[in-house]
C-alpha cells in the first residue's frame, strides 16, 4: 500500500542548512510535494517535483528526488527562525487525485 | 475569494451530537478535498469532489461521515453522532482541476469532542 515516512523532529542552528528527508513506497507516484504548516495555520505549498526530475531549486529551497530509492529530501539553505514549522512530504499517485502525507517533520531553529 | 476559507475555525461539541463543517474553495476551482489531521498524525484523505462527477468517498472512516458540495462550490462535511476519536483538525483543499493541479489548503476547523 501507499506509505510516506518522515523523521519527526529536526533541530538546526540559525544560518545553517536544514535537510528534511522523506521516503515513500508507491513507485507510481507522479508528483511529490513539500508543504509547510505554521502554528494555527493551514498548509502552505512550498514546492513540488515531478517524478521524472531529480532536482529542483527554488531560491533557498532545493528538492532532491532519488526515484530508485524512493527518497525525497528538502534542503533549506541559511535557515531562519521564520522557517520553524512542521514540514509535510506528500505524494500523488498516478491515476489518483488524493495526496498521501507523511506525519510531518517539526523543524526547530535556534540561535 | 483569495484563498480557501473554512468555518468555524474551532468547534467544541459533546459526544453524540452532529456537527457541520463548511468549506469555501477558491473561486473557479473545480476540485475540492477534505482531509483530517489528528494529533501527531499526518493528513488523512477523506473525500474528493470533481465537477459533477460522483465523489470519491474512499477515505471516509465510517458511515457517520458524509459530505456534499452544492452548486460545484461550497462544501459541507457532516459528522453524525460524534465520538471522541473524531477530534481532529479538518482541512479542506481545492485545486483548479482534479488532475495534476496543486491543492491549496484552508486554515482548517479544529473539532473537539468532549
Amino acid at each position: 500500500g501507499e506509505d510516506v515516512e518522515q523523521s519527526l523532529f529536526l533541530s538546526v542552528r540559525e544560518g545553517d542548512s536544514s535537510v528534511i528527508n522523506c521516503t515513500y513506497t508507491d513507485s507510481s507516484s507522479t508528483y511529490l510535494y513539500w508543504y509547510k504548516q505554521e502554528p494555527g495555520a493551514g498548509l502552505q505549498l512550498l514546492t513540488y517535483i515531478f517524478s521524472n526530475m531529480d532536482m529542483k531549486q527554488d531560491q533557498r529551497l532545493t528538492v532532491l528526488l532519488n526515484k530508485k530509492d524512493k527518497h525525497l529530501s528538502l534542503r533549506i539553505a541559511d535557515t531562519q527562525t521564520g522557517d520553524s514549522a512542521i514540514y509535510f512530504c506528500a505524494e500523488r499517485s498516478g491515476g489518483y487525485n488524493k495526496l498521501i502525507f507523511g506525519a510531518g517533520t517539526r523543524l526547530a531553529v535556534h540561535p | 475569494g483569495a484563498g480557501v476559507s473554512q468555518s468555524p475555525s474551532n468547534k467544541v461539541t459533546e459526544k453524540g451530537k452532529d456537527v457541520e463543517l463548511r468549506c469555501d474553495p477558491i473561486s473557479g476551482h473545480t476540485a475540492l478535498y477534505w482531509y483530517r489531521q489528528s494529533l501527531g498524525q499526518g493528513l488523512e484523505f477523506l473525500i474528493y469532489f470533481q465537477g459533477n462527477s460522483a465523489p470519491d468517498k474512499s477515505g471516509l472512516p465510517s458511515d457517520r461521515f458524509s459530505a456534499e458540495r452544492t452548486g460545484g462550490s461550497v462544501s459541507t462535511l457532516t459528522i453524525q453522532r460524534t465520538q471522541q476519536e473524531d477530534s481532529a483538525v479538518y482541512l479542506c483543499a481545492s485545486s483548479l482541476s482534479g488532475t495534476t493541479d496543486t491543492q491549496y489548503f484552508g486554515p482548517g476547523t479544529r473539532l473537539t469532542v468532549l
Side-chain angles (χ1 to χ4, degrees), chain A residues 35 37 45 88 92 97 99 102, chain B residues 35 37 42 98-99 101-103:
Chain A
Y35 281 86
Q37 186 179 39
L45 176 68
F88 290 93
R92 180 199 292 270
N97 297 295
L99 297 179
Chain B
Y35 292 86
Q37 184 179 21
T99 53
D101 292 318
T102 298
Q103 295 180 26

Side-chain angles (χ1 to χ4, degrees), chain B residues 1-5 23-31 69 73 93-95 104-105:
Chain B
V4 177
S5 60
C23 172
D24 282 88
I26 294 173
S27 178
H29 281 194
T30 63
R69 188 177 185 195
S73 180
S94 70
S95 65
Y104 295 90
F105 283 78

Side-chain angles (χ1 to χ4, degrees), chain A residues 6-32:
Chain A
Q6 305 177 233
S7 53
L8 295 182
F9 189 75
L10 176 66
S11 177
V12 299
R13 190 187 302 273
E14 191 174 10
D16 288 351
S17 291
S18 307
V19 179
I20 303 172
N21 295 299
C22 169
T23 58
Y24 60 97
T25 57
D26 189 346
S27 58
S28 67
S29 294
T30 53
Y31 285 87
L32 294 126

Side-chain angles (χ1 to χ4, degrees), chain B residues 81-101:
Chain B
R81 305 181 303 282
T82 51
Q83 303 296 311
Q84 288 184 331
E85 61 263 28
D86 299 334
S87 296
V89 176
Y90 290 82
L91 290 161
C92 175
S94 70
S95 65
L96 192 59
S97 73
T99 53
T100 57
D101 292 318

